[in-house]
């Protein structure tokens, strides 16, 4: 795979260290973005097949999606949430990098993947922010991969998640002077699952209480924090760091250490 390789920095980035008291023995080690997956669905997917409602008409490859100028059959897809560690669709290449003009926020409600109708979880979306910068992974899909990836993501992100598609400019970490047009899934305030802003402590409390078909909401938070550490000190996300710190302070109050480890 031609994507940039991630290495853990020598020192943990201030503000995004996951507290050792509930993280060290969880058995969930930081990962690089995974390699190509031959067949979508071979891993535990964000959209559990047995619990997936009928999908709406999946988008078809067309001019509405950004394409690679060198290959009109190729498409880049930018992930900044669970897609950074579990894309679950076949792809040809992946690159770590960032988009400018957006900040990542835990402002989208989730009643399927990381929560339920009675207790919605909190997952991320992008907020337009002139000074913002959001790190993630861009995946290149080619040929038949394009329609398969879009069909799968239409269910996972749009039908089950409430996200819309948007074109963004992606800057690869290893070649920021060679930006790429990419497709991103963004939850806007107009979708029914949108929760909007809340104090980081309140978001942390909600995350600790919620679980969905894809796992505990805490796992989602910690995997995202691990990814940001692997990106190095240049990758900053104060919102994410504040929620991780709040969780570390609250977790012993919610359950004993042994039960806390079982959450992740």
């Amino acid at each position: 795979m031609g994507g940039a390789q991630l290495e853990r920095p020598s020192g943990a980035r201030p503000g995004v260290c996951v507290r050792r008291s509930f993280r060290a023995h969880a058995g969930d080690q930081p990962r690089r973005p995974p390699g190509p997956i031959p067949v979508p669905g071979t891993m535990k997917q964000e959209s559990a097949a047995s619990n997936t409602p009928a999908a709406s008409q999946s988008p078809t490859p067309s001019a509405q999606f950004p394409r690679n100028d060198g290959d009109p059959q190729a498409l880049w897809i930018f992930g900044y949430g669970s897609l950074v560690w579990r894309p679950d669709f076949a792809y040809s290449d992946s690159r770590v990098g960032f988009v400018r003009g957006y900040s990542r926020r835990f402002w989208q409600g989730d009643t399927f993947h990381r929560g339920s109708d009675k207790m919605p979880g909190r997952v991320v979306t992008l907020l337009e922010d002139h000074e913002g910068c959001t790190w993630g992974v861009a995946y290149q899909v080619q040929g038949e991969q394009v329609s398969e990836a879009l069909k799968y993501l239409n269910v996972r992100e749009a039908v089950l998640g409430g996200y819309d598609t948007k074109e963004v400019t992606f800057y690869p970490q290893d070649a920021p002077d060679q930006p790429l047009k990419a497709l991103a899934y963004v939850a806007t305030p107009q979708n029914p699952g949108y929760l909007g802003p809340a104090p980081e402590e309140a978001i942390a409390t909600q995350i600790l209480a919620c679980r969905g078909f894809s796992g505990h909401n805490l796992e989602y938070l910690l995997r995202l924090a691990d990814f940001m550490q692997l990106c190095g000190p240049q990758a900053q996300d104060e919102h994410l760091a504040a929620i991780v710190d709040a969780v570390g302070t609250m977790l012993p109050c919610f359950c004993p250490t042994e039960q806390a480890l079982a959450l992740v």
Side-chain angles (χ1 to χ4, degrees):
M1 184 174 66
Q5 298 298 311
L6 289 175
E7 295 181 358
R8 179 172 293 283
S10 58
R13 183 169 64 84
V16 190
C17 57
V18 181
R19 295 176 182 271
R20 185 173 300 275
S21 60
F22 69 89
R23 176 65 176 78
H25 303 291
D28 194 13
Q29 297 301 318
R31 302 179 180 181
R32 295 183 178 89
I37 300 172
V39 180
T42 55
M43 300 173 62
K44 177 183 175 186
Q45 295 189 0
E46 289 287 342
S47 53
S50 60
N51 299 285
T52 302
S56 62
Q57 182 65 34
S58 59
T60 55
S62 67
Q64 64 180 307
F65 296 115
R67 296 307 182 112
N68 187 326
D69 292 337
D71 182 357
Q73 298 303 313
L75 170 69
W76 287 91
I77 299 171
F78 176 66
Y80 56 92
S82 62
L83 286 178
V84 304
W85 71 84
R86 188 164 63 195
D88 271 0
F89 56 83
Y91 57 91
S92 302
D93 192 10
S94 68
R95 306 182 74 175
V96 175
F98 56 89
V99 297
R100 292 173 176 154
Y102 296 91
S103 292
R104 179 169 33 217
R105 292 290 184 268
F106 278 80
W107 288 3
Q108 174 66 2
D110 189 339
T111 60
F112 184 86
H113 302 308
R114 301 292 175 174
S116 64
D117 290 335
K118 293 183 178 180
M119 299 182 67
R122 284 262 183 176
V123 292
V124 293
T125 185
L126 293 180
L127 174 71
E128 290 191 14
D129 177 2
H130 181 69
E131 301 296 328
C133 178
T134 298
W135 283 76
V137 180
Y139 300 95
Q140 185 187 52
V141 288
Q142 298 176 313
E144 294 182 357
Q145 294 176 344
V146 175
S147 60
E148 290 299 318
L150 293 177
K151 180 179 179 181
Y152 168 66
L153 291 172
N154 181 57
V155 176
R156 171 172 164 173
E157 303 295 336
V159 176
L160 297 177
Y163 289 74
D164 293 326
T165 55
K166 187 168 189 175
E167 180 179 320
V168 296
T169 301
F170 173 77
Y171 297 86
Q173 184 180 34
D174 57 353
D177 58 336
Q178 300 175 24
L180 306 167
K181 294 297 182 181
L183 183 72
Y185 287 80
V186 180
T188 67
Q190 287 70 44
N191 87 85
Y194 191 78
L195 298 177
E200 277 80 8
E201 293 78 8
I203 293 176
T205 301
Q206 188 170 352
I207 287 174
L208 283 171
C210 293
R211 176 187 290 273
F213 287 111
S214 296
H216 203 284
N217 208 173
L218 179 59
E219 178 199 18
Y220 179 99
L221 174 71
L222 296 183
R223 283 186 181 273
L224 195 51
D226 281 345
F227 167 76
M228 289 296 290
Q229 285 188 347
L230 291 171
C231 288
Q234 74 275 18
Q236 300 292 322
D237 191 328
E238 295 180 358
H239 177 70
L240 173 63
I243 297 171
V244 171
D245 287 345
V247 164
T249 300
M250 296 177 181
L251 192 56
C253 301
F254 272 74
C255 53
T257 303
E258 293 77 9
Q259 295 179 14
L261 295 178
L263 293 177
V264 293

